Amino acid sequence: MRTRHITLATGLAALALTSACSQGSATKSTSENGVTTVRYMTFSSAPDHTKDLDTIVAAFEKQNPTIKIQVQAVPYADYATTLQTSIAGGTAPDTFELDQQSLVTYASSGALLDLTDPAAKEPAYNASAYAPANLEAAQYKGKQYALPESFSTVVLIYNKDLFTRAGVPVPTADWTWKDEQAAALKLTDRAKGVWGDYQPISFNEFTKALDQAGGSFFSTDGARATFDSPQGVAAARWLIDKNNKTMPDAAKSASTPDFDTNLFKAGKLAMWHNGNWQFSALKDVPFGWDVAVEPGDTHKASAVFQNSVAVSKATAHSGAAFKWLNYLTASDTTAKTRVDSSWELPPLSDTDKVAGYLTAGKPANRQAVFDSLKNQAAAPVIAKQQQMQDIINNALTNAAAGRTDVAKALSQAATQVTALLK
């Protein structure tokens, strides 16, 4: 499973980035014979959408013959390190992708160009082309440091054939945790290597489950961590109990690349918590499948991920770089390419441009992707993001392994996270 919300820099890395930017390091873009080359680093196109990105690049270059786009597609697992190293070493690409958490880290470190000036100079730029909430999500302290590129949601993907053979009703939008767990128990057949459910025990899944249980990660004033509440304990136990009863071994799945993807494709997994970015990879599986909005406990809450694209503060070609990003995020070519290929969706204000997504092929219930937007789980973001995630993951790992009681593990973690806020 491709784990979303990359954290691209720890506090130490952010310090290195600030140092690199303050030294005025230049990117390695070029301008020769009247043609400017703009480098673009991406993670979301690899491995399933490299041809789709090529389509967008070709259309842009045809429209802008004096600009050439040089794409560097980096595997998701390596993206954070590659980008961080390039910025710190003064070889940053002119433009690159970020998720919302990473945007905060990079903008606060001084690595990103404030887009106010290039936006004002670009005739094709129209801020109203983007959905207001998505445009705001690409801002930092009121300034536009990126353009919203895409959004995706996590849904419950399920194998219809396994449900039919087991005589179990398929998931609906009204399902709760209890419904999911009851179905997963009936669908699990260890002797045949068939598993009822797959949802990792991780920071991202815990924070979402916490929201579904009606809890909050931080206090109202943001001064302390509150995820060790009864709701937090319920969320952690929900994930741990699933792992013990209806999921394959967590250690094995975590150490095997694409374990969950391959398990689902092999017809050995009944339910799978994953995102709409998986749709294109599943279009040819030899069994029926569909999706539903993820079940909740006392509340519905779905993970919604937003990617944005930014310009390096060190670029020598800010105008050309911004022109490329504006086309990449808001052009009709991009919208059509994303919809037709079931890529992550463009966050545009004109919903007619993404309407074709609903009838673009499997799964049948693509409406669940949009329904998931109605109740978005709030992702906690702080300056010391990686330390916070490590604390939560360690606490969950210890609790899952039985080394520490769940309530005690979360209490200790909450104390540690609160200390990071000071």
Side-chain angles (χ1 to χ4, degrees):
M1 175 180 177
R2 189 172 64 160
T3 304
R4 299 307 304 262
H5 283 317
I6 311 173
T7 299
L8 299 179
T10 62
L12 179 61
L15 180 62
L17 294 178
T18 304
S19 175
C21 290
S22 65
Q23 294 169 9
S25 302
T27 62
K28 296 298 183 181
S29 59
T30 60
S31 184
E32 298 178 2
N33 300 321
V35 176
T36 298
T37 297
V38 173
R39 293 175 60 212
Y40 173 59
M41 185 183 290
T42 168
F43 58 81
S44 68
S45 67
D48 300 318
H49 296 283
T50 54
K51 291 183 179 179
D52 299 317
L53 180 57
D54 288 344
T55 297
I56 298 170
V57 168
F60 173 80
E61 291 180 342
K62 182 178 180 180
Q63 185 173 312
N64 300 274
T66 61
I67 303 174
K68 179 177 177 58
I69 305 304
Q70 184 181 94
V71 175
Q72 182 181 3
V74 179
Y76 199 82
D78 302 326
Y79 188 82
T81 301
T82 303
L83 180 58
Q84 176 184 312
T85 301
S86 69
I87 294 179
T91 60
D94 300 278
T95 56
F96 45 84
E97 276 186 306
L98 294 172
D99 67 12
Q100 195 169 3
Q101 294 178 0
S102 302
L103 174 65
V104 172
T105 299
Y106 276 75
S108 63
S109 74
L112 307 183
L113 181 70
D114 178 356
L115 300 181
T116 304
D117 184 56
K121 295 178 179 178
E122 174 50 54
Y125 176 68
N126 179 10
S128 64
Y130 305 98
N134 296 85
L135 190 66
E136 184 178 346
Q139 297 173 356
Y140 176 69
K141 293 187 175 180
K143 293 184 178 181
Q144 203 72 49
Y145 281 97
L147 293 181
E149 179 200 21
S150 64
F151 74 89
S152 56
T153 66
V154 171
V155 291
L156 185 67
I157 305 173
Y158 62 92
N159 182 320
K160 293 171 64 177
D161 289 8
L162 288 179
F163 274 84
T164 298
R165 288 201 292 269
V168 178
V170 299
T172 69
D174 298 325
W175 265 26
T176 65
W177 285 358
K178 289 182 179 179
D179 296 313
E180 181 180 345
Q181 186 70 338
L185 288 168
K186 294 177 181 178
L187 290 158
T188 298
D189 188 337
R190 292 174 181 267
K192 295 182 179 179
V194 175
W195 300 95
D197 212 342
Y198 189 90
Q199 184 175 14
I201 304 173
S202 66
F203 171 83
N204 289 324
E205 295 301 325
F206 170 71
T207 58
K208 178 178 61 181
L210 173 66
D211 207 335
Q212 291 171 347
S216 58
F217 198 88
F218 291 123
S219 58
T220 304
D221 60 4
R224 61 187 178 85
T226 56
F227 57 78
D228 58 339
S229 62
Q231 293 88 350
V233 173
R237 284 181 173 154
W238 159 245
L239 296 174
I240 293 170
D241 284 349
K242 289 172 71 173
N243 180 70
N244 291 337
K245 299 175 181 178
T246 59
M247 283 173 52
D249 180 71
K252 180 181 179 181
S253 60
S255 62
T256 306
D258 297 321
F259 177 86
D260 50 340
T261 302
N262 293 330
L263 193 66
F264 189 84
K265 286 183 174 181
K268 298 292 186 179
L269 180 59
M271 291 181 284
W272 186 27
H273 292 256
N274 213 307
N276 63 302
W277 58 85
Q278 293 285 358
F279 291 177
S280 59
L282 299 178
K283 59 182 174 56
D284 295 325
V285 294
F287 54 82
W289 64 282
D290 208 342
V291 301
V293 175
E294 285 187 288
D297 185 28
T298 62
H299 294 73
K300 282 286 187 181
S302 299
V304 178
F305 301 106
Q306 299 189 63
N307 292 333
S308 61
V309 283
V311 177
S312 169
K313 190 174 183 179
T315 184
H317 306 292
S318 60
F322 184 83
K323 183 181 286 290
W324 157 238
L325 295 190
N326 182 57
Y327 189 91
L328 174 64
T329 57
S331 70
D332 289 347
T333 296
T334 295
K336 184 178 187 305
T337 300
R338 285 186 172 278
V339 168
D340 289 350
S341 64
S342 293
W343 199 357
E344 295 172 357
L345 292 166
L348 302 176
S349 57
D350 186 353
T351 55
D352 287 343
K353 292 185 177 182
V354 297
Y357 182 79
L358 297 176
T359 56
K362 295 180 180 179
N365 187 27
R366 286 171 174 254
Q367 182 61 43
V369 173
F370 295 97
D371 291 343
S372 296
L373 298 175
K374 298 174 183 178
N375 298 284
Q376 299 186 28
V381 180
I382 65 173
K384 298 178 180 178
Q385 186 73 17
Q386 189 61 58
Q387 292 99 311
M388 178 175 69
Q389 292 190 189
D390 288 344
I391 289 169
I392 300 300
N393 285 328
N394 288 336
L396 294 173
T397 298
N398 288 331
R403 291 189 288 268
T404 310
D405 175 74
V406 173
K408 183 178 180 180
L410 291 183
S411 177
Q412 292 173 341
T415 299
Q416 293 174 298
V417 170
T418 297
L420 296 179
L421 303 174
K422 299 176 180 179

